Amino acid sequence: MPRLAIWAHPNQTHLLERALAEGPKGDRLEAVLVGCADEHGAAALGAALDAASCTDLREVLHAEVDVVWLAAPRTLDADARGLVRAAAMPVATSAPPPAAMSDLLREPDGGMPAIFIPLLRGGAAFQAAAAALENFGTVHCVHVSSTAGDHQTSRASLALDAFDLVTHLLGEPDEIWAAHAGPLPITPDPTVERSGHLTAAMRFGTERAASITVSDGGGAWVRRAVILGEGGRLIVTDEGVSWTDPGGVSQEAPPTEGQANAGELAGWHLRRLAAGREISRISLEAAVVLESARLSCLTRQVEDPQHIRNMIGRR
């Protein structure tokens, strides 16, 4: 049984329990160490998961395990990123680094040394959809909607995941317009975690478009991508794939080993990492578009991702 060390927030107990549950093939992970910056929180997590506990991130990253999961938001500061690079085992994270993009891209790995999970593009459902996309023809339009709640993940994580899928299918947009919604105002400080809802529209030349809507206040975990093009409509969720051609006829879609919630999805990715299997990584294009969306929310104007590339010296 693969051994796992975790760094988490006390409110993430339910998420962690789901990740450690037995998978559809009878495989599972064993949590041997769980860490939290708060002493009482660490003890509570350890008791809930029947694992040793600690309050030092270095202890988690130096543990003799098969894989490490940094589940807590805002964990990957500069010191943590250095520790991750020195780790002897695979390290996964469920949140982007809390830093300005201009600072992150000065680092050799673009400021993301850990593997981002659960990535929709890297999941079982999209892997199944990839086979259908080979016969789908040109993709014209993509919409991704993602909601979460109950401390499953952050809005920034959902947005990065959604932009990763869009840029994988369509490339980097020529323009993006984005808007923040919710009771808490947006702040210009890129290191401050923003909660609420985000919607964005993107243009790719004159014949392709995409949009996303993400929220960490949606309660239930639901991710859904609608892909439109020559082949009709392809719908990808974490639970599976459906394909309808332009004439309204359902096409045969590849079977998938679907998961229904954030914890199960994280467990699936972690088991693959522990087994040494290849995992998709977040693209630079997704990070650039996320930063462009952040600026668009602030300026209330359309932004050009190329402008962000010029600012950070990555063309």
Side-chain angles (χ1 to χ4, degrees):
M1 185 184 301
R3 292 157 59 87
L4 171 69
I6 307 170
W7 184 260
H9 188 279
N11 289 328
Q12 293 179 307
T13 303
H14 186 57
L15 173 72
L16 305 184
E17 289 174 338
R18 292 247 179 142
L20 295 172
E22 187 175 286
K25 295 180 179 179
D27 49 349
R28 62 186 306 161
L29 297 156
E30 177 189 7
V32 297
L33 178 65
V34 59
C36 176
D38 176 73
E39 182 177 356
H40 296 292
L45 286 170
L49 303 181
D50 192 22
S53 62
C54 69
T55 57
D56 189 344
L57 178 60
R58 291 171 296 184
E59 189 173 341
V60 169
L61 288 167
H62 291 155
E64 295 185 1
V65 294
D66 299 295
V67 62
V68 172
W69 180 22
L70 307 180
R74 307 186 58 76
T75 298
L76 280 178
D77 58 19
D79 291 340
R81 294 195 296 275
L83 291 170
V84 169
R85 293 185 185 105
M89 77 295 290
V91 180
T93 182
S94 294
M101 189 175 179
S102 57
D103 295 333
L104 293 173
L105 290 178
R106 293 191 181 99
E107 300 177 12
D109 45 26
M112 184 60 97
I115 297 167
F116 185 88
I117 66 167
L119 190 65
L120 181 58
R121 177 171 58 88
F126 189 78
Q127 289 180 6
L133 282 167
E134 291 179 359
N135 302 309
F136 188 78
T138 302
V139 174
H140 297 147
C141 185
V142 178
H143 174 69
V144 182
S145 62
S146 301
T147 63
D150 191 28
H151 305 281
Q152 292 167 326
T153 191
S154 67
R155 190 188 76 173
S157 298
L158 293 171
L160 184 61
D161 181 33
F163 286 133
D164 176 83
L165 181 61
V166 168
T167 55
H168 174 74
L169 292 169
L170 296 175
E172 197 170 285
D174 297 318
E175 294 179 336
I176 179 170
W177 178 88
H180 160 84
L184 299 176
I186 195 169
T187 169
D189 185 351
T191 67
V192 175
E193 186 73 60
R194 284 165 293 279
S195 184
H197 325 292
L198 174 73
T199 189
M202 291 154 275
R203 180 181 64 79
F204 303 77
T206 58
E207 298 180 346
R208 298 179 302 156
S211 61
I212 73 160
T213 299
V214 300
S215 171
D216 61 357
W221 175 271
V222 178
R223 294 191 299 185
R224 184 175 189 264
V226 179
I227 302 169
L228 305 172
E230 290 181 336
R233 182 192 69 190
L234 197 66
I235 297 177
V236 183
T237 71
D238 284 314
E239 296 178 292
V241 182
S242 66
W243 179 7
T244 305
D245 71 13
V249 179
S250 294
Q251 300 296 305
E252 183 177 355
T256 178
E257 178 190 329
Q259 292 86 23
N261 59 69
E264 292 176 1
L265 287 159
W268 184 84
H269 284 279
L270 290 166
R271 291 191 296 272
R272 288 175 64 85
L273 276 173
R277 301 182 69 177
E278 184 177 350
I279 296 289
S280 301
R281 301 190 73 113
I282 285 289
S283 65
L284 171 63
E285 289 80 8
V288 168
V289 176
L290 177 63
E291 178 67 3
S292 302
R294 186 185 73 84
L295 289 181
S296 180
C297 288
L298 292 168
T299 64
R300 303 180 184 180
Q301 302 292 323
V302 170
E303 295 290 341
D304 180 355
Q306 186 59 50
H307 175 62
I308 302 298
R309 285 186 174 272
N310 293 337
M311 289 173 57
I312 62 178
R314 292 284 190 101
R315 302 186 178 184

